[in-house]
Amino acid sequence: MKVYFSFTLLMLFSIVAQAQNLAQDSAAVVAPAALQLKGYNNRDIETFAKAYSDTVKVYSSPGKLSYQGKEELRKRYGSKFASTPDLHCELVNRIVSGNVVIDHERVQISKDRPRMEAIAVYRVKDGLIYEVTFISPNKN
C-alpha cells in the first residue's frame, strides 16, 4: 500500500511539474507577441521592433514572402506609425501551441473606416519572432 501511495504521489508531482513547465514555456512564447502588440498600439517603433529577430521573415499570406529583416520591418512600420494616428489593434483571441502564437485581431486604421479582421501567425525562437504570416479572412 505504501508503495502504491508513494508511486501515486510521485506521479502527481510529476504532472504538476510538467504543467508548470508548459505554463512557463507558453509565457515565454507569448512575450514577444505581447510586446509587439504593445509597441503597435503605442505606435512605438523601438518597442515594436524589439520583439523581432534581425532576420525576421514577413509573409502577406501563407507562402508569399513580403519582406525580410528587422531593418525593413522598422522602415515600413515606422512610416505606418507616423502616418496613422488612429492605428489600433484589438486582440480578439489568442492560441498558443509550441512555439506558435496565433492572434485573431481587429485593426483600426482610421476612425472613419471600419475595423479590419486579421489573423497573425507568429513563430517564436529564443524569445523573438522570427517569422510572421498575416492572413486576411475571406468575406463572402
Side-chain angles (χ1 to χ4, degrees), residues 1-15:
M1 184 70 166
K2 286 184 180 182
V3 171
Y4 176 73
F5 179 73
S6 296
F7 178 75
T8 303
L9 195 56
L10 182 62
M11 291 301 293
L12 180 61
F13 285 135
S14 175
I15 290 169

Side-chain angles (χ1 to χ4, degrees), residues 71-137:
E71 286 311 310
E72 184 64 22
L73 176 127
R74 186 184 298 275
K75 185 172 78 173
R76 289 177 183 229
Y77 278 91
S79 67
K80 183 177 199 165
F81 292 167
S83 66
T84 53
D86 296 332
L87 187 64
H88 185 79
C89 179
E90 172 193 354
L91 181 61
V92 177
N93 192 24
R94 175 171 279 160
I95 298 170
V96 181
S97 182
N99 72 324
V100 176
V101 178
I102 303 170
D103 284 353
H104 172 197
E105 306 168 341
R106 286 197 186 101
V107 180
Q108 180 88 47
I109 303 293
S110 171
K111 289 181 181 176
D112 61 344
R113 292 173 50 192
R115 293 179 181 194
M116 301 180 311
E117 298 284 325
I119 298 166
V121 180
Y122 303 101
R123 293 188 177 276
V124 177
K125 182 178 178 184
D126 299 327
L128 296 170
I129 298 167
Y130 70 90
E131 181 181 291
V132 60
T133 301
F134 296 105
I135 302 168
S136 296

